[in-house]
């Protein structure tokens, strides 16, 4: 009597092995796609964090904050926009005495920066295309010089949006809601 496997036993074993391999490869591919999505989302959110941090650092050492939706003044004029009257643009004088504007670009869904002190004015987006801002509000408190108010100048920034990562399904995109407060470093006295 010969010992070994029959053709039927061999076919059944190969079939089971193939099913296990197909399931395993599918799971590995799913994990790879999930890791790619997660990495893309983290990268997009880190870009937004970097843009807001850069803006905050510049605002912190600036002054003469002017809150508006339209064309900001070129001078050091100030204007508060307190609760419920937030605006989509903020201009201020930076540490180098240049007039800078941060504004919400509704058409592109981005946060833009413009330097009004150089001609021609150069505007560029400081958020990545993978970030789609849906709403952005600036509130300014205490921007008037000391005799007019005794508040330390501060800016409240609120940003709502969604990631817009190419190649990713809409249901895999992530909503975000970011709020930060920036106080002027120098005392307003």
């Amino acid at each position: 009597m010969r010992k070994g496997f029959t053709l039927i036993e061999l076919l059944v074993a190969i079939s089971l092995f193939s099913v296990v391999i197909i399931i395993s490869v599918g799971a590995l591919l799913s994990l790879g796609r999930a890791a790619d999505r997660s990495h893309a989302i983290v990268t997009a959110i880190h870009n937004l964090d970097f843009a807001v941090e850069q803006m905050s650092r510049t605002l912190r050492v600036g002054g003469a904050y002017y809150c508006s939706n339209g064309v900001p003044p070129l001078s050091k004029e100030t204007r508060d926009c307190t609760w419920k009257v937030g605006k989509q643009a903020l201009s201020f004088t930076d540490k180098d005495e240049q007039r800078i504007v941060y504004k919400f670009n509704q058409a592109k869904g981005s946060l833009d920066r413009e330097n009004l002190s150089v001609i021609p004015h150069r505007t560029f987006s400081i958020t990545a295309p993978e970030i789609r801002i849906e709403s952005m509000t600036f509130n300014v408190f205490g921007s008037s010089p000391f005799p007019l108010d005794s508040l330390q100048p501060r800016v409240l920034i609120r940003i709502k949006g969604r990631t817009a990562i190419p190649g990713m399904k809409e249901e895999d995109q992530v909503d975000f809601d970011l709020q930060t407060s920036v106080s002027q470093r120098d005392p307003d006295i």
Side-chain angles (χ1 to χ4, degrees):
M1 182 172 214
R2 291 187 179 165
K3 294 187 180 186
F5 297 108
T6 65
L7 185 57
I8 303 280
E9 290 172 332
L10 192 56
L11 288 174
V12 168
I14 290 174
S15 298
L16 287 174
F17 181 72
S18 297
V19 168
V20 169
I21 291 296
I22 289 171
I23 291 172
S24 299
V25 168
L28 284 175
L29 290 175
S30 266
L31 284 173
R33 281 192 299 272
D36 289 344
R37 280 193 307 268
S38 175
H39 180 70
I41 289 168
V42 166
T43 301
I45 298 299
H46 278 296
N47 172 269
L48 178 64
D49 287 342
F50 179 76
V52 170
E53 181 60 30
Q54 184 267 336
M55 179 175 57
S56 297
R57 272 183 279 152
T58 308
L59 284 168
R60 190 172 292 118
V61 295
Y65 305 111
Y66 187 90
C67 199
S68 73
N69 282 336
V71 177
L74 294 173
S75 68
K76 290 189 176 190
E77 184 180 346
T78 63
R79 182 195 300 172
D80 284 355
C81 52
T82 55
W83 301 113
K84 297 187 182 180
V85 289
K87 304 294 183 188
Q88 294 182 343
L90 171 73
S91 69
F92 66 101
T93 304
D94 73 359
K95 66 178 177 60
D96 299 322
E97 298 298 316
Q98 295 191 9
R99 199 66 184 175
I100 305 295
V101 178
Y102 286 110
K103 59 185 171 183
F104 171 47
N105 183 332
Q106 228 166 354
K108 291 184 352 183
S110 65
L111 170 58
D112 291 355
R113 182 180 197 264
E114 181 177 9
N115 187 342
L116 299 177
S117 298
V118 295
I119 298 186
H121 300 313
R122 202 174 121 226
T123 303
F124 60 92
S125 177
I126 64 170
T127 52
E130 292 83 16
I131 294 291
R132 177 82 179 153
I133 297 174
E134 296 165 357
S135 70
M136 182 168 185
T137 308
F138 292 98
N139 293 98
V140 176
F141 307 89
S143 66
S144 299
F146 175 65
L148 300 174
D149 76 32
S150 60
L151 298 173
Q152 179 68 15
R154 72 179 196 268
V155 178
L156 178 67
I157 306 163
R158 288 176 291 183
I159 304 172
K160 274 185 136 172
R162 188 167 178 77
T163 58
I165 301 165
M168 190 180 288
K169 296 177 188 174
E170 185 60 31
E171 62 266 11
D172 290 337
Q173 302 292 345
V174 176
D175 293 326
F176 58 84
D177 194 349
L178 178 75
Q179 178 175 316
T180 189
S181 184
V182 180
S183 294
Q184 183 181 11
R185 182 173 286 162
D186 294 329
D188 189 25
I189 51 175

